[in-house]
Amino acid sequence: MTTTADPDARSLSIGEVAERTGLSVHALRFYEREGLLVGPVRRTPGGRRRYAPSDVDWLLICVKLRESDMPLADLKHFAELVRRGPGNEMERLSLLETHRQRVDTRIRALEECRSVITGKVGVYADHLARGEAGGLWDPTTEDAIS
């Protein structure tokens, strides 16, 4: 006996997708309006959005790309390339490599920031442990330790 799986049985409401992706309902509507989804969002006869599991998978990728500061225009372009289907993989790769380079540059800058902060934490912790915190970053004295 062959049974056909009901696609609506696996579809998800906008609230369920929000919960699974960490995006707000408002953000999901924004993603749809901006053309960031790779497929159309189906609607119930009553007009409620219904998402496929593949929509959630795609949105989880989008979340990470946005969290890593991919520009919205690049994300839109990437979504458009994916919607077009096979044949543009080199363009997708180029877009992702360019973004990875930006992320790598940002990581290096953040590591430098962390190094400075770690140094400052050490200075403050050392002075506080010795009971010599007076004068730390005191602009009223010329020999203040920052």
Side-chain angles (χ1 to χ4, degrees):
M1 178 163 97
T2 306
T3 59
T4 305
D6 179 6
D8 287 331
R10 292 184 43 219
S11 69
L12 303 161
S13 71
I14 195 168
E16 291 169 321
V17 173
E19 185 177 312
R20 290 181 186 199
T21 62
L23 294 168
S24 67
V25 168
H26 177 75
L28 287 167
R29 290 183 185 125
F30 172 80
Y31 271 48
E32 184 181 351
R33 268 194 321 273
E34 292 297 315
L36 297 173
L37 299 174
V38 292
V41 175
R42 292 180 329 151
R43 303 273 184 153
T44 66
R48 295 189 178 269
R49 291 169 174 83
R50 297 303 296 180
Y51 295 84
S54 60
D55 293 323
V56 173
D57 294 341
W58 172 254
L59 285 164
L60 290 171
I61 293 168
C62 290
V63 165
K64 291 303 176 192
L65 292 173
R66 288 297 292 151
E67 281 179 0
S68 63
D69 292 331
M70 177 179 268
L72 190 57
D74 287 356
L75 185 54
K76 281 183 180 184
H77 185 60
F78 186 53
E80 174 58 32
L81 291 171
V82 172
R83 268 194 302 278
R84 286 186 207 159
N88 58 30
E89 292 81 5
M90 287 299 295
E91 193 173 353
R92 294 184 211 179
L93 176 61
S94 176
L95 188 146
L96 290 170
E97 284 180 337
T98 298
H99 182 61
R100 182 179 60 189
Q101 289 170 357
R102 282 193 303 263
V103 169
D104 289 344
T105 298
R106 182 72 178 136
I107 288 170
R108 283 190 298 277
L110 286 170
E111 286 172 343
E112 290 174 15
C113 293
R114 182 177 55 199
S115 178
V116 168
I117 293 166
T118 299
K120 288 293 160 201
V121 165
V123 167
Y124 276 74
D126 182 53
H127 278 77
L128 286 168
R130 291 189 320 225
E132 300 172 359
L136 283 175
W137 201 266
D138 182 354
T140 63
T141 64
E142 285 190 31
D143 58 341
I145 301 169
S146 58

